Amino acid sequence: MDVVINEKARQALNRLAAMPGMAQVKDQVEQMIQFRRVAELRKKNRLKNQPQSNHMVFTGNPGTGKTTAARLIGEAFAEIGLLNRKGDEVPFVEINHSKITGPHVGESEKNIAAAFKKARGGVLFIDEAYAFIGKSEHRTDEKVIATMVQYIEDLRDQIIVIAAGYPKNMAEFLSFNPGLASRFPNSIHFPDYSIPDLVRIAQQMLLDQEYQPEQDYLDTLASVLWVEKSKPNFGNARTVRNHVERSIRRQSMRVSQMVQPSRKDLAALTAADIVHSPAGVQASEREALQRIIQEAQGRLFELDLRSILKV
Ligand SMILES: Nc1ncnc2c1ncn2[C@@H]1O[C@H](COP(=O)(O)OP(=O)(O)OP(=O)(O)O)[C@@H](O)[C@H]1O
Ligand SMILES: [Mg+2]
């Protein structure tokens, strides 16, 4: 099998690289591909090889792009020839514990088997994989895990299995069964996005839909996200998507009041279109934020003054 990065694979990798904050993920995937390429060349030259595994663990908080990256990586791997597939489509099957488990004996194993078969030639994405090992006081799913391990092994040339979840939980998942850790040698961490990355993501989402965010929109969004980011359960890019959708709705209400909105009016988003967090930014937080902004403005003013006075 030749491992060649063709045009379509390159496109999928470029789409990944174009996503703000994904450069590291793309580099890691490229490394995996090059490793596989060299392994295949070694095989051709009858040199010893470690067994290769395409399976991966993705760790990261909600909304850090794990599912999105998994799809693109699946497309790239299928194009490169790392997956034996039949048609043009690259299947992407996403499962989680509640989708798989059922009340009847043997039902979960049957569902797992069906999911693996459906994902042949593509990606089986197991979200919150650690849920399959149950709680420490109530381990019920050993049979399901055993079935999983069996299929991961049997279909290793046809499927990439990506198991995703929080870092701590994933470590627990991998140590649950000795077969698991060795089958998932590749691990990619998706860090929380920085505020500039989140703003870039919003900008990209808006430009894709032919909206033009003005500077005051982006500045206000940055301060709102700055407050929201410190709260538990912050949804990273998903929170950004929600903001974007809500501001598009609010903008259309604002524009509908205009007698004859211009093309520019129809595209522009301003700070007035931002809906602060659904419950409203807490008054105290808003005050704290205002204070910080005032302080920063004060410092800027001082700097300007110094440069004018040359002190
Ligand atoms: N770097 C990015 N650039 C643009 N959009 C992004 C980026 N990362 C994520 N998104 C968007 O944010 C949303 C959430 O991303 P995704 O579903 O991939 O996150 P996730 O890590 O799988 O989240 P969860 O753990 O909650 O399943 C999607 O709408 C996706 O398109
Ligand atoms: Mg996801």
Side-chain angles (χ1 to χ4, degrees):
M1 172 179 52
D2 280 338
V3 177
V4 180
I5 305 189
N6 65 10
E7 185 54 29
K8 274 187 167 170
R10 183 51 58 206
Q11 275 172 13
L13 291 173
N14 285 345
R15 287 221 304 281
L16 189 64
M19 288 166 65
M22 283 283 182
Q24 269 187 358
V25 171
K26 189 228 167 202
D27 286 350
Q28 221 172 323
V29 173
E30 286 245 29
Q31 271 175 29
M32 266 180 79
I33 293 170
Q34 298 307 350
F35 188 64
R36 284 299 303 256
R37 213 163 79 83
V38 173
E40 293 300 333
L41 290 174
R42 282 178 62 93
K43 203 156 99 189
K44 271 197 180 155
N45 285 277
R46 292 180 305 282
L47 289 164
K48 252 192 205 164
N49 254 337
Q50 299 282 338
Q52 304 296 315
S53 166
N54 291 329
H55 307 314
M56 299 175 216
V57 165
F58 281 6
T59 56
N61 286 327
T64 47
K66 299 182 294 297
T67 305
T68 311
R71 277 181 199 277
L72 291 172
I73 293 171
E75 275 175 38
F77 272 50
E79 283 302 333
I80 285 161
L82 289 173
L83 297 170
N84 294 330
R85 62 176 176 145
K86 305 222 165 60
D88 263 357
E89 278 285 290
V90 181
F92 186 88
V93 179
E94 184 164 348
I95 60 168
N96 58 38
H97 184 253
S98 55
K99 264 195 211 164
I100 290 297
T101 42
H104 306 294
V105 177
E107 197 174 338
S108 311
E109 289 92 307
K110 223 168 74 190
N111 289 341
I112 275 278
F116 269 93
K117 284 179 187 151
K118 209 166 131 196
R120 272 185 173 170
V123 176
L124 179 72
F125 187 84
I126 310 175
D127 217 359
E128 291 171 23
Y130 58 89
F132 283 96
I133 65 175
K135 302 252 163 53
S136 51
E137 65 275 15
H138 188 63
R139 302 264 190 224
T140 52
D141 285 326
E142 282 180 44
K143 270 197 199 146
V144 178
I145 299 273
T147 311
M148 229 186 233
V149 171
Q150 190 61 50
Y151 274 101
I152 290 172
E153 193 53 39
D154 293 351
L155 299 180
R156 66 182 177 281
D157 294 331
Q158 298 175 40
I159 285 188
I160 307 179
V161 181
I162 298 180
Y166 294 111
K168 191 174 124 274
N169 296 331
M170 290 314 290
E172 217 180 301
F173 171 74
L174 292 179
S175 61
F176 179 68
N177 174 316
L180 281 175
S182 64
R183 283 174 181 83
F184 287 97
N186 311 296
S187 179
I188 302 186
H189 181 62
F190 290 69
D192 283 354
Y193 289 117
S194 65
I195 298 283
D197 277 342
L198 292 169
V199 172
R200 250 173 250 134
I201 289 172
Q203 236 169 337
Q204 212 174 56
M205 287 175 177
L206 286 166
L207 293 180
D208 280 350
Q209 299 182 64
E210 302 196 326
Y211 281 93
Q212 190 63 52
E214 294 193 346
Q215 194 55 48
D216 70 342
Y217 176 90
L218 297 174
D219 292 346
T220 308
L221 183 66
S223 0
V224 170
L225 289 170
W226 187 80
V227 172
E228 291 179 350
K229 196 170 149 61
S230 61
K231 293 185 182 167
N233 307 322
F234 177 65
N236 284 285
R238 186 165 301 112
T239 300
V240 170
R241 187 175 286 289
N242 292 339
H243 270 298
V244 162
E245 281 166 8
R246 283 199 302 261
S247 16
I248 286 177
R249 282 198 294 273
R250 188 176 266 205
Q251 186 257 19
S252 73
M253 272 160 37
R254 179 171 60 76
V255 172
S256 68
Q257 311 281 312
M258 297 179 176
V259 184
Q260 222 170 15
S262 65
R263 191 167 195 276
K264 188 165 173 279
D265 292 330
L266 291 165
L269 283 177
T270 72
D273 300 321
I274 292 187
V275 183
H276 293 246
S277 71
V281 179
Q282 294 290 315
S284 59
E285 280 170 331
R286 198 179 302 139
E287 276 164 23
L289 198 60
Q290 271 165 357
R291 228 179 10 252
I292 288 164
I293 292 171
Q294 270 164 12
E295 271 170 28
Q297 279 169 342
R299 275 205 296 276
L300 279 177
F301 181 67
E302 214 174 289
L303 280 174
D304 282 347
L305 211 59
R306 275 194 198 166
S307 72
I308 292 166
L309 299 174
K310 305 227 170 358
V311 287

